[in-house]
Amino acid sequence: MLDPKLGDALLAATCPVPIADTPTVLLGHGSGGRLTAKLIEETMLPAFRNPLLEPLEDAAILAPAAGRIALTTDSYVVTPIFFPGGDIGELAVNGTVNDLVVSGARPLALSLAFILEEGFPLADLERVVASVKRAAERARVRIATGDTKVVGRGSADKVFINTSGVGVVPEGREVSARRVREGDAILVSGTIGDHGVAILSCREGLAFGGDLASDTAPLGDLVESLLAACPTVHAMRDPTRGGVAATVVEIASREKVGIELDEELLPVRDVVRGACEMLGLDPLLVANEGKLVAFVPEKDAAIALAAMRAHPLGRGAARIGRVTREHPGVVWTRTPIGGARILELPYAEMLPRIC
């Protein structure tokens, strides 16, 4: 076996800069060797150290919890990786946590897998890791297991992240699109389109003015406050890629209900509305990363709306429509001039790589 000290001497002798101190990601960081161990011990563990992760076993062992298990996974490929209001690390945590909480689950733990492009600055990786740490602490969820792979230059774009989340749905709690009923009020927790327009402005160098920023945020506390005040909530979704439109169209199609939205009631910031008008985008189709859409029995709609508005992440909550008997499977919007239009999804993604 090669003496570790001799190995270090050989590495230093073959590279003008000691390879262990390189400022960028090398293929060796994903080799499973000493560089991988150095990356884990110096970058990952200090940020995420907790009893679930620290043994560094092949699988994290979680104790059984009362209730039903919720499991979700998502991958994040947003570009640019740093944007107004957040970055890919925060987005990865919030996105997965939000998929759990809008299903009625309380998050327990996340997995965290990085795919790094050779040459990615280690300083940027440390910045992303720090962001993941802050977001996980804010959402009160632990990073239980993880993985790091490195691919050659041009085989990826800087960094991709996959996160899976596990949570528990308390007994007696049932939140599902299957429970949506005729007459349900449709509520949204705040302004729509902020994330997608913020990413677009940053990517294309467009200056729309104002304090335009992504709305990425963990929705767990907001959901718990909403369900405590209004346990009769039928369904919730976080309207990310595809925006509010994708959420309501999917539910209308699968559950065979009609959905009517009132465009005058949609909460849209002026800067987002202006940007959408300039670019020919529909705010209903633009992504959000810190909002939820709730379907609530009409009799409880005012209570649910008040509960949302009492929370910092729900101050801009609004009632935007209702579930109808007419036109099952169809979503239509009432326009400001009294007309109507059928809401359809675009054939392909309008804004790629926004999450």
Side-chain angles (χ1 to χ4, degrees):
M1 178 180 290
L2 182 66
D3 185 313
K5 292 183 178 178
L6 177 59
D8 286 336
L10 289 173
L11 287 171
T14 56
C15 180
V17 176
I19 199 168
D21 296 329
T22 176
T24 61
V25 170
L26 305 174
L27 285 173
H29 281 112
S31 68
R34 281 190 291 130
L35 276 178
T36 302
K38 179 179 173 64
L39 187 69
I40 293 172
E41 290 170 4
E42 296 184 1
T43 304
M44 305 299 179
L45 272 184
F48 307 130
R49 178 165 279 126
N50 65 67
L52 291 176
L53 177 66
E54 205 157 7
L56 295 180
E57 301 282 0
D58 284 349
I61 307 300
L62 280 68
R68 292 159 293 157
I69 297 295
L71 178 66
T72 186
T73 190
D74 211 338
S75 298
Y76 296 86
V77 298
V78 64
T79 185
I81 60 172
F82 301 108
F83 48 82
D87 60 50
I88 190 172
E90 182 179 0
L91 198 64
V93 173
N94 291 341
T96 299
V97 164
N98 290 345
D99 283 344
L100 290 173
V101 301
V102 296
S103 301
R106 292 170 178 159
L108 292 178
L110 300 182
S111 71
L112 177 69
F114 288 100
I115 297 176
L116 305 172
E117 181 187 16
E118 181 187 18
F120 181 56
L122 281 170
D124 285 352
L125 176 60
E126 290 170 358
R127 185 176 166 189
V128 171
V129 167
S131 181
V132 169
K133 178 178 185 289
R134 286 193 302 272
E137 289 173 348
R138 185 182 178 192
R140 295 190 295 278
V141 64
R142 290 179 291 188
I143 305 300
T145 187
D147 183 46
T148 303
K149 294 290 190 300
V150 180
V151 297
R153 294 176 188 270
S155 298
D157 188 1
K158 302 179 183 67
V159 55
F160 297 155
I161 300 177
N162 173 269
T163 45
S164 295
V166 61
V168 172
V169 182
E171 292 294 352
R173 180 179 287 181
E174 186 68 34
V175 181
S176 168
R178 296 189 301 272
R179 301 184 69 225
V180 169
R181 295 288 182 271
E182 174 192 345
D184 279 358
I186 304 173
L187 314 178
V188 65
S189 62
T191 55
I192 63 174
D194 296 18
H195 176 74
V197 172
I199 293 292
L200 185 63
S201 67
C202 187
R203 184 187 303 169
E204 304 299 334
L206 301 172
F208 295 117
D211 55 347
L212 185 60
S214 168
D215 60 347
T216 180
L219 296 172
D221 286 346
L222 174 61
V223 167
E224 290 297 325
S225 297
L226 172 60
L227 292 177
C230 184
T232 56
V233 169
H234 283 160
M236 291 182 289
R237 291 287 177 86
D238 57 332
T240 54
R241 190 174 46 178
V244 172
T247 294
V248 294
V249 168
E250 179 183 333
I251 289 179
S253 176
R254 290 189 180 181
E255 306 307 320
K256 305 303 179 190
V257 296
I259 288 180
E260 173 190 347
L261 301 181
D262 190 329
E263 294 187 18
E264 280 197 308
L265 300 180
L266 296 175
V268 184
R269 299 174 65 200
D270 289 342
V271 63
V272 172
R273 190 183 300 280
C276 287
E277 289 176 356
M278 181 186 304
L279 300 170
L281 300 174
D282 184 342
L284 282 166
L285 291 162
V286 180
N288 315 272
E289 289 292 343
K291 301 298 187 316
L292 67 85
V293 173
F295 292 75
V296 183
E298 173 59 39
K299 65 182 181 58
D300 297 327
I303 296 173
L305 196 57
M308 282 188 182
R309 289 174 174 170
H311 191 278
L313 293 178
R315 288 196 185 110
R319 176 176 177 148
I320 60 173
R322 65 189 180 99
V323 179
T324 70
R325 176 185 298 178
E326 297 80 20
H327 314 299
V330 175
V331 178
W332 63 282
T333 71
R334 190 182 301 279
T335 69
I337 60 173
R341 67 181 175 102
I342 302 294
L343 185 61
E344 295 182 311
L345 300 181
Y347 182 74
E349 198 168 16
M350 294 172 57
L351 303 173
R353 298 191 58 189
I354 53 174
C355 58

